Amino acid sequence: MPVSIDDFEAGDLPRGPSVPEQVVTYLYTHSNQAFTRSEIVTAISGNPNTVGTALSRLKDRNLVRHKGEFWAITDDEERVAAAYDIHTTSERLDDEDGGIDADEWDSVAPETPHPSERDEDAQ
């Protein structure tokens, strides 16, 4: 759905579930089946490249399984529940405090790197 350029410029964009959220929700609600990427794309009305990227990242986090052309939700329900808990807590905190303002964050950041980020040869 297109948005006006004024809304775009102001950052007043519609919010909805992200592609990874949609993928996890779809696979979780169909946990007794495995799907091809194109079937998932069709089911969530997504972009094939975006869905492919989401699937790869979800696999890296052990939230989905992949065999051949097929994808399924992980069989570790505790892992899915923990990921959901972290996500909802993060969203709630962002709603309460407005999230992180990148400009404000940068304005108070120290000029020198944290000791853990310094090159060992320079120390």
Side-chain angles (χ1 to χ4, degrees):
M1 167 176 77
V3 296
S4 75
I5 197 66
D6 292 336
D7 289 344
F8 173 79
E9 294 295 342
D12 188 18
L13 304 172
R15 285 188 54 186
S18 67
V19 171
E21 289 174 297
Q22 293 176 60
V23 169
V24 168
T25 300
Y26 181 75
L27 292 176
Y28 186 80
T29 57
H30 298 89
S31 60
N32 60 341
Q33 297 175 289
F35 301 89
T36 64
R37 180 181 74 161
S38 62
E39 290 169 330
I40 297 167
V41 167
T42 301
I44 68 168
S45 301
N47 173 288
N49 293 329
T50 307
V51 170
T53 299
L55 286 166
S56 295
R57 291 179 179 168
L58 292 167
K59 183 181 178 220
D60 289 346
R61 291 167 177 80
N62 296 316
L63 291 169
V64 299
R65 297 175 283 167
H66 181 228
K67 290 185 182 179
E69 295 181 26
F70 292 90
W71 297 86
I73 195 74
T74 182
D75 54 2
D76 184 349
E77 291 187 19
E78 289 180 19
R79 186 163 191 83
V80 175
Y84 179 78
D85 289 346
I86 289 169
H87 177 73
T88 54
T89 300
S90 177
E91 280 191 335
R92 180 181 53 79
L93 292 172
D94 282 350
D95 288 344
E96 288 176 7
D97 69 7
I100 295 173
D101 180 334
D103 292 333
E104 183 179 338
W105 184 276
D106 287 341
S107 72
V108 297
E111 296 294 322
T112 58
H114 186 273
S116 67
E117 297 176 337
R118 292 186 187 134
D119 184 16
E120 288 186 24
D121 294 335
Q123 292 182 10

